[in-house]
Amino acid sequence: GTWRVRAMVRDPAKARPFPAGVQVVTGDLRDAASLAAAVQGARYVISAAGSTGGEWFGDNAPEKVDFEGTRNLADAAKAAGVRHVCLVSSMGVTHPEHPLNKRLNNILDWKLKGEAALRASGVGYTIVRPGGLRDEPGGTQGVQAMQGDTLENEGTIPRADVAAACVAALTTAAAAGVTFELIGAPGTPPPDWPRVYAGLAKDSRDR
């Protein structure tokens, strides 16, 4: 079927032109009241938001965006009757000793708290923890999906492949309640996402 897409941006003037047919709404994860309209009538939500370079401290600190913002969005989605939220988190979030925490104001710790807030919200969810993101075309290689956040197989993945994983998660029953790490790997593209998700374990309640 055809997806109708709504993109939430903080500043429409700064948003790159979207393809025709994409509805643009203004909202800010840090402003919970602004999210109700953004998710109203939506069946699914994908969140790829995160603190960005140069803003690790202050108003756009990871605590405000990656934790509180994710919690605000999850709560708004639950209240609006959204069926499923797919959150892009990060590989390494369960490792407090990770160097990114030192450099970027504990960003991975706050992403982990954001994950927990999504799980606690009661809305259906999938959490994707990609490795390093690359700006390259997707669908050119296989993927490796893992669980346990061991960091043994650190790797990278094109953003487009992460996007494909998120879109597939929305309508794949086996993706519900699943948290996993994702990197690119040798293999046949494009990945068979239902099969990838079927091989993953659901989160335990006490996680």
Side-chain angles (χ1 to χ4, degrees):
T2 306
W3 293 89
R4 283 184 299 155
V5 177
R6 177 187 299 162
M8 187 185 88
V9 298
R10 281 190 291 170
D11 182 356
K14 282 189 187 169
R16 292 186 189 139
F18 288 101
V22 174
Q23 179 189 3
V24 178
V25 295
T26 304
D28 190 323
L29 293 179
R30 301 163 305 171
D31 175 11
S34 75
L35 302 179
V39 298
Q40 192 58 45
R43 193 173 292 178
Y44 307 109
V45 170
I46 295 174
S47 176
S51 310
T52 53
E55 297 185 329
W56 305 116
F57 298 87
D59 290 344
N60 286 314
E63 178 179 2
K64 303 281 184 203
V65 178
D66 300 85
F67 166 47
E68 291 174 11
T70 298
R71 183 181 63 193
N72 290 342
L73 184 62
D75 290 345
K78 174 69 175 170
V82 167
R83 286 188 198 173
H84 201 88
V85 175
C86 185
L87 174 68
V88 179
S89 182
S90 175
M91 191 179 273
V93 288
T94 64
H95 295 265
E97 76 288 355
H98 198 289
L100 283 181
N101 277 324
K102 261 193 192 114
R103 288 212 330 260
L104 307 180
N105 200 4
N106 298 313
I107 188 165
L108 295 179
D109 290 347
W110 291 117
K111 282 186 182 293
L112 185 65
K113 288 184 169 73
E115 290 186 5
L118 173 56
R119 293 188 194 102
S121 71
V123 73
Y125 73 87
T126 304
I127 296 170
V128 186
R129 296 169 169 170
L133 298 171
R134 301 201 310 270
D135 289 320
E136 289 172 19
T140 64
Q141 61 177 351
V143 296
Q144 182 177 358
M146 306 160 286
Q147 290 179 299
D149 198 27
T150 64
L151 296 185
E152 282 171 20
N153 295 314
E154 284 193 273
T156 62
I157 185 165
R159 294 173 196 273
D161 286 335
V162 178
C166 291
V167 172
L170 303 179
T171 55
T172 303
V178 166
T179 301
F180 69 106
E181 294 82 54
L182 187 68
I183 56 173
T188 312
D192 178 347
W193 290 110
R195 194 168 162 194
V196 170
Y197 282 117
L200 297 172
K202 293 196 184 297
D203 292 347
S204 59
R205 287 296 178 95
D206 55 359
R207 197 170 163 153

